[in-house]
Amino acid sequence: ILRLPAFPLHLLVIILLCIWSITFFIKKQLWSRNEWQLAVITFVAFVVVIAIQGFIPYYAGGEWYFDWYEHYVRMRFFLDRLPLETRFGPYLLTARPPLFNVVAYFYATLLGKDFWVFQLTSSFLNLLPILSCFLLFRRILKQHTSAFVLMVLAAIFLLNPSFIIQVTFTWTKGLAAYFVLTGFYFYLTYRRGKPPAYVYLSFIFLAGALLTHYSAIPFILG
């Protein structure tokens, strides 16, 4: 609205998060071995998804590119501040909720607007449901280590054809599912006797789901 340059504002957000993270881990006396394992498992899952995308030209004939193109241009809409009447193939901006593309635009201001940057960013965003499921199942499977729970969940997701299709073609349902599951997690945490702040966090994440994909509506209402 104010036409301010995005890079310094977005960089400030990253700097503040880094300061908070460093302070948090210093208080915990740095990362434990288990936390490093969680980071490695998440990174391996990310590499597997990128590797699978290398097969798209073979099993899709190299012709199914429009989903990647459309969402990349939608990201460029925010990055380059294109006119509101810009069309994305047959669609206007209002045809799809914009939050996925806004988040991708946030990282593009920091890392660059090349397509490969968008590909890596969007692939990671669609992997986030694994982490939200990890939060939920860690409470249920208390007898197992956190690393074991995340490893099993990552394997289940990566062997699920529906999930892999969502990730490899940049459909925004993956990020929407992350918001729904995380909002559900915060609501359950509140129901376990935690402060009302968890209800507000739940509301924020469920609202984020609605702004990411319309398929989240039935789960929010439920």
Side-chain angles (χ1 to χ4, degrees):
I1 294 174
L2 300 177
R3 297 289 179 177
L4 297 174
F7 175 77
L9 296 175
H10 294 174
L11 183 61
L12 178 62
V13 173
I14 295 297
I15 291 174
L16 292 176
L17 286 174
C18 288
I19 292 173
W20 177 85
S21 300
I22 292 170
T23 305
F24 176 77
F25 286 119
I26 287 176
K27 289 181 178 179
K28 290 187 63 178
Q29 297 181 346
L30 301 181
W31 278 21
S32 66
R33 178 184 176 185
N34 187 62
E35 286 165 332
W36 279 109
Q37 290 173 340
L38 297 180
V40 170
I41 293 169
T42 305
F43 178 73
V44 170
F46 175 68
V47 171
V48 169
V49 167
I50 298 301
I52 291 174
Q53 290 174 358
F55 293 100
I56 292 178
Y58 299 98
Y59 67 75
E63 296 296 332
W64 198 358
Y65 65 88
F66 182 74
D67 294 314
W68 279 102
Y69 171 76
E70 180 189 354
H71 287 292
Y72 175 66
V73 177
R74 284 176 177 272
M75 181 275 292
R76 294 291 297 266
F77 172 87
F78 298 101
L79 185 66
D80 299 330
R81 297 174 179 176
L82 300 177
L84 189 61
E85 62 272 12
T86 300
R87 285 189 170 272
F88 311 93
Y91 305 113
L92 290 170
L93 180 68
T94 52
R96 306 183 191 278
L99 187 56
F100 182 96
N101 310 107
V102 171
V103 176
Y105 144 72
F106 173 87
Y107 288 105
T109 60
L110 302 171
L111 304 175
K113 58 183 179 182
D114 294 328
F115 177 78
W116 67 269
V117 175
F118 171 76
Q119 180 183 7
L120 295 179
T121 302
S122 59
S123 299
F124 184 77
L125 291 176
N126 276 322
L127 271 178
L128 290 178
I130 298 177
L131 300 182
S132 52
C133 283
F134 167 70
L135 288 176
L136 291 165
F137 279 87
R138 188 176 57 174
R139 290 182 176 274
I140 300 172
L141 304 175
K142 292 182 179 179
Q143 68 272 27
H144 298 288
T145 64
S146 296
F148 174 81
V149 174
L150 181 60
M151 185 168 58
V152 171
L153 285 172
I156 292 173
F157 272 89
L158 295 176
L159 292 173
N160 186 315
S162 297
F163 178 76
I164 289 299
I165 289 175
Q166 294 290 332
V167 175
T168 52
F169 290 105
T170 327
W171 294 334
T172 58
K173 290 180 181 179
L175 184 60
Y178 161 75
F179 281 127
V180 169
L181 292 169
T182 308
F184 183 56
Y185 168 79
F186 282 125
Y187 179 73
L188 289 179
T189 303
Y190 164 73
R191 291 293 299 270
R192 289 174 177 267
K194 295 297 182 180
Y198 284 92
V199 174
Y200 303 136
L201 282 172
S202 177
F203 172 82
I204 290 172
F205 275 87
L206 293 177
L210 180 60
L211 292 173
T212 304
H213 200 279
Y214 293 128
S215 64
I217 294 175
F219 301 98
I220 295 172
L221 293 177

